[in-house]
Amino acid sequence: MIDDPYRDVELVKLYDLDNPDGEDHAYYRALADELGARSVIDLGCGTGLLTRSLVRPGRTVLGVDPSRTMLDFARSQPGAQTVTWMFGDATALSPTGTADLAVCTGNAIMHLAPDELPATLTALAGALRPGGVLAFESRSPAYREWERWSPAATYAERITPMGRLREWLDVTEVEDGRVTFDAHNVFPDGEDRVYTSVLHFRSSERFRQELESAGFADIVCDGDWRGGPAGDGSRLFVFRARRV
C-alpha cells in the first residue's frame, strides 16, 4: 500500500462525516447476514465505521488497516472492543482458511499497486475457507471520475470542530489507470494541509483475471449496490467471488 495519507489526526476525525454509513455499508451487512457469516475480515477497515456494524452475536470480526492513525481512531470508538484490530496489509493475514467473508470497501482495493493486487487477493483466498466469499468495490475507469476532481468542481467551505475549512481536490497525474491527486485542507490559520493519494482504476475484465488467478470462482460483478448491470456507464464495480 501507499504511504499512509491519513496520518493527520484532526483530518481523520472528519473521515466518517465525509464517508457516512450508506447503501454501501448496508450491502456488506446484508451479504454477511445472507451468508450466515461467523467470521468476517474487513481489509482496509479505516476508522472502522462499517467494521463495528458487522458485529453480531456469534460472529467474530477482524479489522485490518495499514494506517496507525486510522486504527487508533477506530479503537477509540464505541463498540470497538467487539472487534479485533490488526495493523498491516494483507500480508498480516494468517492463511487459516477459516473466514466466511472478506470485504475490502471504499477505495481500499484501489490503493493497491499492480504488483500488490495479486498478492493481496492470494492472501485473502488463503484466509477464507473453501466456499468463503470475497466482496469489494472499485470505481470504473470508463466513467473517468477523476476528470470531475478539478479544484473548481470540488471547492467547498464548511464549519468543522477545527473551525472553517476550505477544501478542494487537484489531480496531478494520470497514467495507465493510475491517478494521483492532492486533497487540500486549509485551516482557519491559513495552513494548507495536503495529503496525496494514488488510486488505480481497473477494468472488470482485469479484476476477473486476477480473481481467477488467485483461486476464486463464481465471480459476479454488479454496476451498483442494488444488483444493476455493470456497463460503460457504471460508476462502480461491485464484486463478489467464491474461494474454490
Side-chain angles (χ1 to χ4, degrees), residues 160-215:
T160 74
M162 282 75 77
R164 179 180 291 273
L165 294 186
R166 295 188 292 119
E167 304 163 309
W168 66 91
L169 301 179
D170 188 12
V171 176
T172 58
E173 184 181 15
V174 180
E175 183 177 3
D176 296 330
R178 183 180 187 271
V179 177
T180 305
F181 63 96
D182 293 333
H184 292 261
N185 304 269
V186 181
F187 280 66
D189 63 1
E191 180 186 6
D192 184 5
R193 301 187 190 178
V194 182
Y195 63 82
T196 300
S197 291
V198 179
L199 298 181
H200 297 269
F201 288 74
R202 299 174 173 94
S203 67
S204 59
E205 292 77 13
R206 174 64 184 279
F207 274 120
R208 287 182 183 276
Q209 293 170 1
E210 297 285 6
L211 285 164
E212 289 173 353
S213 295

Side-chain angles (χ1 to χ4, degrees), residues 2-64:
I2 61 172
D3 183 45
D4 178 13
Y6 305 109
R7 54 188 172 273
D8 190 307
V9 175
E10 290 185 304
L11 293 179
V12 165
K13 292 177 181 177
L14 299 177
Y15 188 86
D16 288 347
L17 294 177
D18 297 335
N19 302 274
D21 189 284
E23 60 179 345
D24 52 345
H25 289 191
Y27 172 89
Y28 291 113
R29 284 192 295 266
L31 178 60
D33 292 344
E34 174 190 330
L35 295 172
R38 298 182 62 82
S39 175
V40 178
I41 298 169
D42 185 359
L43 180 64
C45 65
T47 61
L49 183 63
L50 168 63
T51 323
R52 297 189 303 275
S53 74
L54 288 168
V55 174
R56 298 283 188 278
R59 176 187 295 167
T60 63
V61 179
L62 171 66
V64 186

